[in-house]
Amino acid sequence: MNLPLHFCIYINSNCERFCPNCYYEQNKFEPMSVRLAERVGIWITDMLRDRNTPFFKVTFIGGEPTLNFEAMMTIINTVVERKPVQAELAPRSGFHIFTNGDYFTTDMLNTLKKYHVYILLNPTYDSLEGIENKMKFITETRQGCSLAVALDDQNLERLPELAKLCLKSM
């Protein structure tokens, strides 16, 4: 059995937050174009075919990946068209987005739900109430999300509360 391939695709360096522990300022570059995104989707499916593996993960990261939603959806659509993602494989294969969740709309979440895109919510400097509201909005539109929080001093102190939010959203 072949091992799954995991692709981390950095599609955008833009972000509105300027968090103090972020590498954004050091790594500015142009957002991925739709043309390049299509080529990346073709490359992913070619790699899967060449390695003869049906299992994969594509994680979209950035600055804030939702600021380049068109490129992200171009990659997803290209992979799905060339190698359909089967719902029963979702836990082992599929798409993930690492996001602060600031720009989610209901339409965006419905689109992500259609493609079984798993959400890794990274609201590093949001208030607990803000995080809870984002998680509630996400889970009302689709089935859940996970928290992916940088463990700095602030978040380490509120780790029990963050864990409760995760359990509450399950």
Side-chain angles (χ1 to χ4, degrees):
M1 180 171 122
N2 290 324
L3 296 174
L5 294 176
H6 187 176
F7 305 91
C8 287
I9 310 295
Y10 196 92
I11 61 171
N12 187 29
S13 67
N14 296 333
C15 184
E16 79 292 357
R17 291 209 171 187
F18 306 104
C19 298
N21 64 342
C22 187
Y23 49 85
Y24 167 76
E25 284 298 319
Q26 301 159 0
N27 294 308
K28 288 185 182 179
F29 62 87
E30 290 297 314
M32 183 180 288
S33 68
V34 170
R35 182 174 169 269
L36 179 57
E38 186 174 6
R39 291 175 53 205
V40 169
I42 291 168
W43 175 77
I44 289 170
T45 56
D46 287 348
M47 288 290 294
L48 294 170
R49 189 173 22 262
D50 292 349
R51 296 279 306 259
N52 193 29
T53 183
F55 305 113
F56 68 96
K57 288 186 180 174
V58 176
T59 302
F60 296 100
I61 59 176
E64 173 50 43
T66 58
L67 292 174
N68 198 0
F69 195 71
E70 184 179 15
M72 182 173 70
M73 291 312 304
T74 298
I75 293 171
I76 291 171
N77 285 319
T78 301
V79 171
V80 169
E81 286 170 8
R82 297 186 85 221
K83 182 181 185 359
V85 178
Q86 299 171 12
E88 64 268 20
L89 296 180
R92 285 191 74 187
S93 292
F95 305 99
H96 302 77
I97 180 172
F98 191 83
T99 176
N100 62 33
D102 288 350
Y103 295 100
F104 278 140
T105 64
T106 301
D107 287 343
M108 196 181 277
L109 289 170
N110 283 328
T111 299
L112 296 175
K113 180 179 180 179
K114 176 182 173 186
Y115 291 100
H116 308 284
V117 178
Y118 193 77
I119 297 171
L120 299 163
L121 187 63
N122 180 27
T124 302
Y125 294 104
D126 289 357
S127 67
L128 290 171
E129 180 182 2
I131 296 169
E132 185 173 20
N133 290 338
K134 284 181 184 180
M135 292 180 80
K136 184 177 180 184
F137 176 59
I138 291 167
T139 55
E140 285 174 351
T141 307
R142 47 167 297 115
Q143 287 186 321
C145 67
S146 290
L147 280 181
V149 180
L151 288 179
D152 59 5
D153 290 335
Q154 174 190 349
N155 285 322
L156 195 55
E157 288 176 15
R158 63 185 192 166
L159 194 56
E161 290 89 357
L162 292 168
K164 286 177 189 173
L165 286 177
C166 288
L167 294 172
K168 189 176 179 179
S169 73
M170 293 177 81

